[in-house]
Amino acid sequence: MRIFIVDDNINVVRILEKIIYDKELGEVVGTSYNGPDALKEIDAIRPDLVLLDLLMPVKDGISILKEVKNKYPEIHYIMISQVSSKEMISKAYENGIEFFISKPIDAIEVQSVIKNVTYKFEMNKKLQTIQGLFSDKQSASVLEHTKDSIIGIKRVMQRMGILSESGSQDIINIAKYLIDNNKHTSDETIADLCSHFTDNPKVMEQRIRRTAAIGMKNLANIGLEDYMNEIFTEYSNGLYNFEQIKIEMDFIREKSKKRGKVNLKKFIDGIVYYSETEKA
C-alpha cells in the first residue's frame, strides 16, 4: 500500500509515518503540509491511499477531496480530524471518505483503519475481475447500488462508534453479500455467511460479535446519559433486543454482573435495513 500524508502539523505527519513503518502498514511515498502542494503531489505520485487532514488553511481536506476524487477514483481516502460535527462527518463521507482517524493520533486506531482500507483495496482488485462477467450497464447499476448501501452502513457504524473496529469490514462484506444476492440471514447461518469470505469463518464471526458487542456497550452508555437520544432510541431496538440493552446498562451501572447479549442475525439484518434508509 503506497500512502501519502497531508497534514499542516509536522508532528502529526511524523507520528503517522512512524506508526505506518513500525506496524508495517505500507510505504509512505510522500507528505504535504498544505492543500495546493498536496494536489500537485497526488497528481504526480498517484498513491493508493491518502491520509487527509480535514482542517487546513487555504484549502481544507474536503475541498482537496472534491478535486481529486473524481479524477482518481481508484485512490482510497482516510480523513484525519478532531471534528465531531455530524454534518461535517456526513459531508466527508458523501464526498468519498472511507474512514476517519481521530486526533490526538492513536496507534491502534491508525493500524485498524489502514488495515481495513488495505483489505478493501485487495477486495476491489478481485471485484474488478468479476466485473468482466457482466455487461457494462448491469455492472454500473449493481455497483452504484452497492456503493450507496455501503455509505449507509458506514454512517450507522460511525454513529455507533464502531466504524474503526476490526470487525467493521467483515460486517460490510456480509451486508453487501446479502444486499447483492437479495438474501436474508434466515437463508444461511452466520458461519456460512462468513465462509464466503474466509477459510476461518469462526474467527471472522468472533470479530463481528466483538464489534457488535462494542456497539451495544456504546449505545448503552449513550442511553445512560440521554435516554431520549435519537441514536439510542433508533438503534437500540433496530439492531439489538432492547431488553438486552437494558441489561448492559445495568452492568455499566454495576447493578448487575450480567452483560447484554447480541443476536448477530438481528444485528446484521438491522445493518442491511439501515443501509437503505441511511444512504439518502
Side-chain angles (χ1 to χ4, degrees), residues 134-181:
F134 299 93
S135 69
D136 291 342
K137 186 174 181 180
Q138 288 175 322
S139 180
S141 176
V142 169
L143 288 175
E144 188 62 31
H145 180 265
T146 299
K147 179 182 175 182
D148 288 346
S149 297
I150 289 173
I151 289 172
I153 294 167
K154 287 183 175 180
R155 282 180 179 164
V156 174
M157 292 198 292
Q158 188 277 326
R159 288 172 180 170
M160 293 173 59
I162 58 173
L163 186 55
S164 62
E165 294 298 327
S166 61
S168 64
Q169 188 60 51
D170 298 319
I171 293 167
I172 291 171
N173 289 339
I174 287 181
K176 177 181 176 297
Y177 169 81
L178 293 171
I179 293 165
D180 290 351
N181 293 280

mmCIF file of all heavy atoms in Angstrom, residues 134-181:
data_model
loop_
_atom_site.group_PDB
_atom_site.id
_atom_site.type_symbol
_atom_site.label_atom_id
_atom_site.label_comp_id
_atom_site.label_asym_id
_atom_site.label_seq_id
_atom_site.Cartn_x
_atom_site.Cartn_y
_atom_site.Cartn_z
ATOM 1 N N PHE A 134 -20.015 -9.247 -16.329
ATOM 2 C CA PHE A 134 -21.299 -8.566 -16.509
ATOM 3 C C PHE A 134 -21.219 -7.563 -17.662
ATOM 4 O O PHE A 134 -20.142 -7.109 -18.035
ATOM 5 C CB PHE A 134 -21.689 -7.805 -15.230
ATOM 6 C CG PHE A 134 -21.854 -8.691 -14.030
ATOM 7 C CD1 PHE A 134 -20.786 -8.921 -13.166
ATOM 8 C CD2 PHE A 134 -23.062 -9.294 -13.768
ATOM 9 C CE1 PHE A 134 -20.922 -9.740 -12.073
ATOM 10 C CE2 PHE A 134 -23.215 -10.117 -12.669
ATOM 11 C CZ PHE A 134 -22.143 -10.339 -11.815
ATOM 12 N N SER A 135 -22.352 -7.231 -18.190
ATOM 13 C CA SER A 135 -22.384 -6.160 -19.195
ATOM 14 C C SER A 135 -22.087 -4.849 -18.511
ATOM 15 O O SER A 135 -22.273 -4.707 -17.307
ATOM 16 C CB SER A 135 -23.766 -6.097 -19.854
ATOM 17 O OG SER A 135 -24.727 -5.621 -18.909
ATOM 18 N N ASP A 136 -21.628 -3.856 -19.274
ATOM 19 C CA ASP A 136 -21.286 -2.561 -18.697
ATOM 20 C C ASP A 136 -22.482 -1.935 -17.997
ATOM 21 O O ASP A 136 -22.356 -1.382 -16.899
ATOM 22 C CB ASP A 136 -20.786 -1.603 -19.784
ATOM 23 C CG ASP A 136 -19.435 -2.024 -20.324
ATOM 24 O OD1 ASP A 136 -18.750 -2.811 -19.638
ATOM 25 O OD2 ASP A 136 -19.076 -1.585 -21.434
ATOM 26 N N LYS A 137 -23.643 -2.049 -18.573
ATOM 27 C CA LYS A 137 -24.837 -1.429 -17.992
ATOM 28 C C LYS A 137 -25.232 -2.112 -16.692
ATOM 29 O O LYS A 137 -25.527 -1.453 -15.684
ATOM 30 C CB LYS A 137 -25.995 -1.496 -18.981
ATOM 31 C CG LYS A 137 -27.244 -0.748 -18.521
ATOM 32 C CD LYS A 137 -28.296 -0.738 -19.598
ATOM 33 C CE LYS A 137 -29.534 0.030 -19.143
ATOM 34 N NZ LYS A 137 -30.587 0.058 -20.187
ATOM 35 N N GLN A 138 -25.239 -3.422 -16.690
ATOM 36 C CA GLN A 138 -25.600 -4.166 -15.483
ATOM 37 C C GLN A 138 -24.594 -3.909 -14.377
ATOM 38 O O GLN A 138 -24.946 -3.698 -13.224
ATOM 39 C CB GLN A 138 -25.649 -5.662 -15.788
ATOM 40 C CG GLN A 138 -26.834 -6.089 -16.631
ATOM 41 C CD GLN A 138 -26.750 -7.554 -17.003
ATOM 42 O OE1 GLN A 138 -25.670 -8.074 -17.279
ATOM 43 N NE2 GLN A 138 -27.885 -8.226 -17.020
ATOM 44 N N SER A 139 -23.327 -3.912 -14.739
ATOM 45 C CA SER A 139 -22.266 -3.701 -13.754
ATOM 46 C C SER A 139 -22.381 -2.336 -13.109
ATOM 47 O O SER A 139 -22.257 -2.190 -11.895
ATOM 48 C CB SER A 139 -20.900 -3.845 -14.433
ATOM 49 O OG SER A 139 -19.874 -3.654 -13.510
ATOM 50 N N ALA A 140 -22.627 -1.305 -13.930
ATOM 51 C CA ALA A 140 -22.726 0.057 -13.404
ATOM 52 C C ALA A 140 -23.880 0.184 -12.428
ATOM 53 O O ALA A 140 -23.763 0.806 -11.377
ATOM 54 C CB ALA A 140 -22.900 1.052 -14.549
ATOM 55 N N SER A 141 -25.015 -0.447 -12.775
ATOM 56 C CA SER A 141 -26.201 -0.373 -11.919
ATOM 57 C C SER A 141 -25.962 -1.062 -10.584
ATOM 58 O O SER A 141 -26.280 -0.531 -9.521
ATOM 59 C CB SER A 141 -27.392 -1.013 -12.632
ATOM 60 O OG SER A 141 -28.518 -1.042 -11.787
ATOM 61 N N VAL A 142 -25.373 -2.251 -10.639
ATOM 62 C CA VAL A 142 -25.101 -3.014 -9.417
ATOM 63 C C VAL A 142 -24.111 -2.282 -8.530
ATOM 64 O O VAL A 142 -24.291 -2.162 -7.318
ATOM 65 C CB VAL A 142 -24.566 -4.429 -9.768
ATOM 66 C CG1 VAL A 142 -24.038 -5.127 -8.521
ATOM 67 C CG2 VAL A 142 -25.665 -5.260 -10.406
ATOM 68 N N LEU A 143 -23.043 -1.771 -9.140
ATOM 69 C CA LEU A 143 -22.006 -1.100 -8.362
ATOM 70 C C LEU A 143 -22.516 0.178 -7.714
ATOM 71 O O LEU A 143 -22.147 0.508 -6.584
ATOM 72 C CB LEU A 143 -20.800 -0.781 -9.263
ATOM 73 C CG LEU A 143 -19.955 -1.992 -9.688
ATOM 74 C CD1 LEU A 143 -18.888 -1.555 -10.677
ATOM 75 C CD2 LEU A 143 -19.322 -2.661 -8.487
ATOM 76 N N GLU A 144 -23.378 0.913 -8.431
ATOM 77 C CA GLU A 144 -23.913 2.163 -7.876
ATOM 78 C C GLU A 144 -24.787 1.876 -6.662
ATOM 79 O O GLU A 144 -24.705 2.555 -5.638
ATOM 80 C CB GLU A 144 -24.710 2.906 -8.947
ATOM 81 C CG GLU A 144 -25.144 4.310 -8.544
ATOM 82 C CD GLU A 144 -23.964 5.229 -8.281
ATOM 83 O OE1 GLU A 144 -22.909 5.058 -8.921
ATOM 84 O OE2 GLU A 144 -24.101 6.131 -7.427
ATOM 85 N N HIS A 145 -25.634 0.839 -6.773
ATOM 86 C CA HIS A 145 -26.497 0.470 -5.647
ATOM 87 C C HIS A 145 -25.665 0.019 -4.458
ATOM 88 O O HIS A 145 -25.923 0.397 -3.312
ATOM 89 C CB HIS A 145 -27.453 -0.641 -6.076
ATOM 90 C CG HIS A 145 -28.374 -1.092 -4.987
ATOM 91 N ND1 HIS A 145 -28.095 -2.183 -4.192
ATOM 92 C CD2 HIS A 145 -29.547 -0.582 -4.537
ATOM 93 C CE1 HIS A 145 -29.062 -2.341 -3.312
ATOM 94 N NE2 HIS A 145 -29.956 -1.388 -3.494
ATOM 95 N N THR A 146 -24.639 -0.783 -4.741
ATOM 96 C CA THR A 146 -23.765 -1.279 -3.673
ATOM 97 C C THR A 146 -23.037 -0.136 -2.993
ATOM 98 O O THR A 146 -22.924 -0.085 -1.763
ATOM 99 C CB THR A 146 -22.741 -2.278 -4.246
ATOM 100 O OG1 THR A 146 -23.447 -3.382 -4.802
ATOM 101 C CG2 THR A 146 -21.812 -2.789 -3.152
ATOM 102 N N LYS A 147 -22.531 0.801 -3.787
ATOM 103 C CA LYS A 147 -21.802 1.955 -3.242
ATOM 104 C C LYS A 147 -22.690 2.741 -2.292
ATOM 105 O O LYS A 147 -22.278 3.120 -1.189
ATOM 106 C CB LYS A 147 -21.319 2.845 -4.383
ATOM 107 C CG LYS A 147 -20.579 4.086 -3.923
ATOM 108 C CD LYS A 147 -20.185 4.935 -5.122
ATOM 109 C CE LYS A 147 -19.538 6.243 -4.678
ATOM 110 N NZ LYS A 147 -19.201 7.107 -5.821
ATOM 111 N N ASP A 148 -23.940 3.008 -2.710
ATOM 112 C CA ASP A 148 -24.873 3.758 -1.872
ATOM 113 C C ASP A 148 -25.176 3.010 -0.572
ATOM 114 O O ASP A 148 -25.256 3.603 0.499
ATOM 115 C CB ASP A 148 -26.181 4.014 -2.629
ATOM 116 C CG ASP A 148 -26.024 5.051 -3.729
ATOM 117 O OD1 ASP A 148 -24.992 5.760 -3.737
ATOM 118 O OD2 ASP A 148 -26.931 5.146 -4.575
ATOM 119 N N SER A 149 -25.337 1.695 -0.677
ATOM 120 C CA SER A 149 -25.643 0.886 0.505
ATOM 121 C C SER A 149 -24.487 0.907 1.495
ATOM 122 O O SER A 149 -24.694 1.002 2.703
ATOM 123 C CB SER A 149 -25.953 -0.551 0.087
ATOM 124 O OG SER A 149 -27.109 -0.604 -0.720
ATOM 125 N N ILE A 150 -23.260 0.825 0.977
ATOM 126 C CA ILE A 150 -22.085 0.829 1.850
ATOM 127 C C ILE A 150 -21.971 2.161 2.580
ATOM 128 O O ILE A 150 -21.609 2.208 3.763
ATOM 129 C CB ILE A 150 -20.809 0.517 1.037
ATOM 130 C CG1 ILE A 150 -20.820 -0.953 0.620
ATOM 131 C CG2 ILE A 150 -19.550 0.828 1.852
ATOM 132 C CD1 ILE A 150 -19.707 -1.346 -0.315
ATOM 133 N N ILE A 151 -22.310 3.262 1.904
ATOM 134 C CA ILE A 151 -22.308 4.576 2.562
ATOM 135 C C ILE A 151 -23.273 4.562 3.750
ATOM 136 O O ILE A 151 -22.962 5.043 4.835
ATOM 137 C CB ILE A 151 -22.695 5.690 1.566
ATOM 138 C CG1 ILE A 151 -21.560 5.907 0.564
ATOM 139 C CG2 ILE A 151 -23.000 7.003 2.303
ATOM 140 C CD1 ILE A 151 -21.916 6.850 -0.565
ATOM 141 N N GLY A 152 -24.462 3.971 3.531
ATOM 142 C CA GLY A 152 -25.445 3.889 4.611
ATOM 143 C C GLY A 152 -24.954 3.056 5.780
ATOM 144 O O GLY A 152 -25.139 3.419 6.941
ATOM 145 N N ILE A 153 -24.291 1.924 5.478
ATOM 146 C CA ILE A 153 -23.753 1.064 6.532
ATOM 147 C C ILE A 153 -22.707 1.804 7.345
ATOM 148 O O ILE A 153 -22.692 1.759 8.572
ATOM 149 C CB ILE A 153 -23.148 -0.221 5.920
ATOM 150 C CG1 ILE A 153 -24.241 -1.072 5.274
ATOM 151 C CG2 ILE A 153 -22.416 -1.035 6.989
ATOM 152 C CD1 ILE A 153 -23.709 -2.179 4.394
ATOM 153 N N LYS A 154 -21.821 2.504 6.657
ATOM 154 C CA LYS A 154 -20.745 3.228 7.345
ATOM 155 C C LYS A 154 -21.302 4.335 8.232
ATOM 156 O O LYS A 154 -20.774 4.593 9.319
ATOM 157 C CB LYS A 154 -19.765 3.812 6.331
ATOM 158 C CG LYS A 154 -18.868 2.768 5.683
ATOM 159 C CD LYS A 154 -17.857 3.411 4.744
ATOM 160 C CE LYS A 154 -16.896 2.387 4.186
ATOM 161 N NZ LYS A 154 -15.909 3.000 3.273
ATOM 162 N N ARG A 155 -22.365 4.980 7.793
ATOM 163 C CA ARG A 155 -22.976 6.030 8.614
ATOM 164 C C ARG A 155 -23.510 5.442 9.909
ATOM 165 O O ARG A 155 -23.347 6.035 10.977
ATOM 166 C CB ARG A 155 -24.103 6.711 7.836
ATOM 167 C CG ARG A 155 -23.616 7.714 6.799
ATOM 168 C CD ARG A 155 -24.777 8.339 6.070
ATOM 169 N NE ARG A 155 -24.306 9.321 5.101
ATOM 170 C CZ ARG A 155 -25.046 9.798 4.110
ATOM 171 N NH1 ARG A 155 -26.283 9.376 3.955
ATOM 172 N NH2 ARG A 155 -24.552 10.693 3.275
ATOM 173 N N VAL A 156 -24.166 4.298 9.814
ATOM 174 C CA VAL A 156 -24.704 3.660 11.013
ATOM 175 C C VAL A 156 -23.573 3.300 11.973
ATOM 176 O O VAL A 156 -23.619 3.609 13.166
ATOM 177 C CB VAL A 156 -25.503 2.388 10.650
ATOM 178 C CG1 VAL A 156 -25.928 1.652 11.917
ATOM 179 C CG2 VAL A 156 -26.731 2.747 9.832
ATOM 180 N N MET A 157 -22.534 2.664 11.446
ATOM 181 C CA MET A 157 -21.439 2.221 12.307
ATOM 182 C C MET A 157 -20.655 3.399 12.879
ATOM 183 O O MET A 157 -20.178 3.347 14.014
ATOM 184 C CB MET A 157 -20.522 1.275 11.536
ATOM 185 C CG MET A 157 -21.196 -0.045 11.201
ATOM 186 S SD MET A 157 -20.050 -1.386 10.772
ATOM 187 C CE MET A 157 -19.424 -0.783 9.216
ATOM 188 N N GLN A 158 -20.538 4.470 12.110
ATOM 189 C CA GLN A 158 -19.856 5.667 12.620
ATOM 190 C C GLN A 158 -20.640 6.263 13.787
ATOM 191 O O GLN A 158 -20.053 6.652 14.808
ATOM 192 C CB GLN A 158 -19.691 6.698 11.493
ATOM 193 C CG GLN A 158 -18.824 7.890 11.848
ATOM 194 C CD GLN A 158 -19.586 8.970 12.586
ATOM 195 O OE1 GLN A 158 -20.766 9.179 12.321
ATOM 196 N NE2 GLN A 158 -18.925 9.637 13.504
ATOM 197 N N ARG A 159 -21.959 6.325 13.670
ATOM 198 C CA ARG A 159 -22.791 6.878 14.732
ATOM 199 C C ARG A 159 -22.719 6.032 16.005
ATOM 200 O O ARG A 159 -22.861 6.547 17.107
ATOM 201 C CB ARG A 159 -24.242 6.970 14.255
ATOM 202 C CG ARG A 159 -24.460 8.075 13.227
ATOM 203 C CD ARG A 159 -25.843 8.024 12.618
ATOM 204 N NE ARG A 159 -26.021 9.091 11.650
ATOM 205 C CZ ARG A 159 -27.055 9.171 10.831
ATOM 206 N NH1 ARG A 159 -28.001 8.234 10.860
ATOM 207 N NH2 ARG A 159 -27.154 10.167 9.973
ATOM 208 N N MET A 160 -22.473 4.748 15.818
ATOM 209 C CA MET A 160 -22.381 3.851 16.974
ATOM 210 C C MET A 160 -20.959 3.737 17.508
ATOM 211 O O MET A 160 -20.719 3.070 18.508
ATOM 212 C CB MET A 160 -22.886 2.457 16.586
ATOM 213 C CG MET A 160 -24.370 2.412 16.292
ATOM 214 S SD MET A 160 -24.837 0.804 15.650
ATOM 215 C CE MET A 160 -24.318 -0.238 16.995
ATOM 216 N N GLY A 161 -20.007 4.367 16.819
ATOM 217 C CA GLY A 161 -18.622 4.356 17.276
ATOM 218 C C GLY A 161 -17.889 3.057 17.025
ATOM 219 O O GLY A 161 -16.950 2.717 17.751
ATOM 220 N N ILE A 162 -18.281 2.305 15.971
ATOM 221 C CA ILE A 162 -17.629 1.015 15.714
ATOM 222 C C ILE A 162 -17.017 0.940 14.320
ATOM 223 O O ILE A 162 -16.564 -0.133 13.903
ATOM 224 C CB ILE A 162 -18.614 -0.169 15.899
ATOM 225 C CG1 ILE A 162 -19.827 -0.030 14.968
ATOM 226 C CG2 ILE A 162 -19.048 -0.278 17.350
ATOM 227 C CD1 ILE A 162 -20.743 -1.245 14.976
ATOM 228 N N LEU A 163 -16.974 2.052 13.601
ATOM 229 C CA LEU A 163 -16.500 2.009 12.218
ATOM 230 C C LEU A 163 -15.047 1.586 12.096
ATOM 231 O O LEU A 163 -14.658 0.973 11.109
ATOM 232 C CB LEU A 163 -16.707 3.374 11.549
ATOM 233 C CG LEU A 163 -16.401 3.458 10.054
ATOM 234 C CD1 LEU A 163 -17.185 2.416 9.271
ATOM 235 C CD2 LEU A 163 -16.701 4.847 9.524
ATOM 236 N N SER A 164 -14.237 1.902 13.091
ATOM 237 C CA SER A 164 -12.812 1.554 13.007
ATOM 238 C C SER A 164 -12.475 0.245 13.732
ATOM 239 O O SER A 164 -11.309 -0.123 13.831
ATOM 240 C CB SER A 164 -11.952 2.689 13.573
ATOM 241 O OG SER A 164 -12.232 2.912 14.934
ATOM 242 N N GLU A 165 -13.503 -0.459 14.215
ATOM 243 C CA GLU A 165 -13.264 -1.736 14.896
ATOM 244 C C GLU A 165 -12.863 -2.819 13.890
ATOM 245 O O GLU A 165 -13.187 -2.739 12.707
ATOM 246 C CB GLU A 165 -14.506 -2.175 15.660
ATOM 247 C CG GLU A 165 -14.887 -1.269 16.824
ATOM 248 C CD GLU A 165 -13.821 -1.213 17.907
ATOM 249 O OE1 GLU A 165 -13.148 -2.239 18.112
ATOM 250 O OE2 GLU A 165 -13.677 -0.148 18.523
ATOM 251 N N SER A 166 -12.172 -3.838 14.377
ATOM 252 C CA SER A 166 -11.609 -4.861 13.493
ATOM 253 C C SER A 166 -12.664 -5.627 12.701
ATOM 254 O O SER A 166 -12.389 -6.122 11.612
ATOM 255 C CB SER A 166 -10.766 -5.852 14.301
ATOM 256 O OG SER A 166 -11.557 -6.512 15.263
ATOM 257 N N GLY A 167 -13.879 -5.722 13.231
ATOM 258 C CA GLY A 167 -14.925 -6.469 12.533
ATOM 259 C C GLY A 167 -15.790 -5.632 11.620
ATOM 260 O O GLY A 167 -16.712 -6.164 10.982
ATOM 261 N N SER A 168 -15.514 -4.330 11.514
ATOM 262 C CA SER A 168 -16.387 -3.456 10.725
ATOM 263 C C SER A 168 -16.398 -3.832 9.250
ATOM 264 O O SER A 168 -17.452 -3.853 8.607
ATOM 265 C CB SER A 168 -15.980 -1.990 10.899
ATOM 266 O OG SER A 168 -14.678 -1.770 10.400
ATOM 267 N N GLN A 169 -15.226 -4.141 8.680
ATOM 268 C CA GLN A 169 -15.180 -4.525 7.273
ATOM 269 C C GLN A 169 -15.863 -5.867 7.039
ATOM 270 O O GLN A 169 -16.492 -6.082 5.996
ATOM 271 C CB GLN A 169 -13.731 -4.581 6.779
ATOM 272 C CG GLN A 169 -13.595 -4.777 5.263
ATOM 273 C CD GLN A 169 -14.243 -3.649 4.474
ATOM 274 O OE1 GLN A 169 -13.981 -2.470 4.727
ATOM 275 N NE2 GLN A 169 -15.085 -4.000 3.519
ATOM 276 N N ASP A 170 -15.769 -6.767 8.007
ATOM 277 C CA ASP A 170 -16.472 -8.053 7.910
ATOM 278 C C ASP A 170 -17.987 -7.827 7.839
ATOM 279 O O ASP A 170 -18.683 -8.477 7.056
ATOM 280 C CB ASP A 170 -16.149 -8.933 9.122
ATOM 281 C CG ASP A 170 -14.670 -9.276 9.220
ATOM 282 O OD1 ASP A 170 -14.062 -9.561 8.181
ATOM 283 O OD2 ASP A 170 -14.134 -9.253 10.341
ATOM 284 N N ILE A 171 -18.477 -6.920 8.662
ATOM 285 C CA ILE A 171 -19.915 -6.600 8.674
ATOM 286 C C ILE A 171 -20.327 -6.021 7.330
ATOM 287 O O ILE A 171 -21.367 -6.388 6.763
ATOM 288 C CB ILE A 171 -20.238 -5.620 9.822
ATOM 289 C CG1 ILE A 171 -20.022 -6.308 11.173
ATOM 290 C CG2 ILE A 171 -21.676 -5.110 9.709
ATOM 291 C CD1 ILE A 171 -20.010 -5.350 12.351
ATOM 292 N N ILE A 172 -19.517 -5.113 6.798
ATOM 293 C CA ILE A 172 -19.801 -4.512 5.490
ATOM 294 C C ILE A 172 -19.850 -5.595 4.410
ATOM 295 O O ILE A 172 -20.752 -5.616 3.564
ATOM 296 C CB ILE A 172 -18.755 -3.441 5.136
ATOM 297 C CG1 ILE A 172 -18.908 -2.226 6.048
ATOM 298 C CG2 ILE A 172 -18.879 -3.011 3.666
ATOM 299 C CD1 ILE A 172 -17.788 -1.211 5.931
ATOM 300 N N ASN A 173 -18.887 -6.514 4.444
ATOM 301 C CA ASN A 173 -18.828 -7.568 3.419
ATOM 302 C C ASN A 173 -20.062 -8.462 3.454
ATOM 303 O O ASN A 173 -20.640 -8.785 2.404
ATOM 304 C CB ASN A 173 -17.575 -8.422 3.623
ATOM 305 C CG ASN A 173 -16.301 -7.677 3.270
ATOM 306 O OD1 ASN A 173 -16.335 -6.699 2.529
ATOM 307 N ND2 ASN A 173 -15.184 -8.124 3.805
ATOM 308 N N ILE A 174 -20.487 -8.848 4.661
ATOM 309 C CA ILE A 174 -21.659 -9.716 4.767
ATOM 310 C C ILE A 174 -22.926 -8.965 4.362
ATOM 311 O O ILE A 174 -23.778 -9.507 3.630
ATOM 312 C CB ILE A 174 -21.784 -10.284 6.194
ATOM 313 C CG1 ILE A 174 -20.717 -11.351 6.423
ATOM 314 C CG2 ILE A 174 -23.178 -10.874 6.435
ATOM 315 C CD1 ILE A 174 -20.744 -11.998 7.789
ATOM 316 N N ALA A 175 -23.049 -7.725 4.815
ATOM 317 C CA ALA A 175 -24.231 -6.932 4.444
ATOM 318 C C ALA A 175 -24.296 -6.747 2.928
ATOM 319 O O ALA A 175 -25.364 -6.873 2.313
ATOM 320 C CB ALA A 175 -24.192 -5.582 5.150
ATOM 321 N N LYS A 176 -23.160 -6.463 2.319
ATOM 322 C CA LYS A 176 -23.084 -6.295 0.864
ATOM 323 C C LYS A 176 -23.485 -7.592 0.149
ATOM 324 O O LYS A 176 -24.224 -7.568 -0.852
ATOM 325 C CB LYS A 176 -21.675 -5.884 0.463
ATOM 326 C CG LYS A 176 -21.450 -5.740 -1.040
ATOM 327 C CD LYS A 176 -20.025 -5.350 -1.331
ATOM 328 C CE LYS A 176 -19.764 -5.299 -2.828
ATOM 329 N NZ LYS A 176 -19.931 -6.612 -3.487
ATOM 330 N N TYR A 177 -23.004 -8.714 0.666
ATOM 331 C CA TYR A 177 -23.353 -10.013 0.078
ATOM 332 C C TYR A 177 -24.868 -10.238 0.127
ATOM 333 O O TYR A 177 -25.483 -10.670 -0.860
ATOM 334 C CB TYR A 177 -22.624 -11.126 0.832
ATOM 335 C CG TYR A 177 -23.116 -12.519 0.493
ATOM 336 C CD1 TYR A 177 -22.685 -13.172 -0.658
ATOM 337 C CD2 TYR A 177 -24.024 -13.171 1.337
ATOM 338 C CE1 TYR A 177 -23.150 -14.447 -0.970
ATOM 339 C CE2 TYR A 177 -24.487 -14.444 1.031
ATOM 340 C CZ TYR A 177 -24.057 -15.081 -0.125
ATOM 341 O OH TYR A 177 -24.527 -16.329 -0.432
ATOM 342 N N LEU A 178 -25.489 -9.953 1.274
ATOM 343 C CA LEU A 178 -26.930 -10.143 1.417
ATOM 344 C C LEU A 178 -27.708 -9.223 0.483
ATOM 345 O O LEU A 178 -28.693 -9.634 -0.141
ATOM 346 C CB LEU A 178 -27.340 -9.893 2.872
ATOM 347 C CG LEU A 178 -26.828 -10.909 3.899
ATOM 348 C CD1 LEU A 178 -27.115 -10.432 5.318
ATOM 349 C CD2 LEU A 178 -27.451 -12.283 3.669
ATOM 350 N N ILE A 179 -27.260 -7.971 0.382
ATOM 351 C CA ILE A 179 -27.938 -6.999 -0.485
ATOM 352 C C ILE A 179 -27.815 -7.410 -1.953
ATOM 353 O O ILE A 179 -28.803 -7.440 -2.694
ATOM 354 C CB ILE A 179 -27.360 -5.584 -0.266
ATOM 355 C CG1 ILE A 179 -27.702 -5.086 1.137
ATOM 356 C CG2 ILE A 179 -27.890 -4.608 -1.321
ATOM 357 C CD1 ILE A 179 -26.895 -3.874 1.575
ATOM 358 N N ASP A 180 -26.576 -7.715 -2.379
ATOM 359 C CA ASP A 180 -26.336 -8.053 -3.786
ATOM 360 C C ASP A 180 -27.075 -9.312 -4.223
ATOM 361 O O ASP A 180 -27.465 -9.446 -5.383
ATOM 362 C CB ASP A 180 -24.832 -8.238 -4.034
ATOM 363 C CG ASP A 180 -24.068 -6.930 -3.963
ATOM 364 O OD1 ASP A 180 -24.706 -5.857 -3.891
ATOM 365 O OD2 ASP A 180 -22.824 -6.977 -3.978
ATOM 366 N N ASN A 181 -27.255 -10.236 -3.292
ATOM 367 C CA ASN A 181 -27.899 -11.506 -3.633
ATOM 368 C C ASN A 181 -29.351 -11.587 -3.182
ATOM 369 O O ASN A 181 -29.968 -12.653 -3.264
ATOM 370 C CB ASN A 181 -27.104 -12.666 -3.027
ATOM 371 C CG ASN A 181 -25.735 -12.822 -3.658
ATOM 372 O OD1 ASN A 181 -25.594 -13.393 -4.735
ATOM 373 N ND2 ASN A 181 -24.705 -12.296 -3.002
#
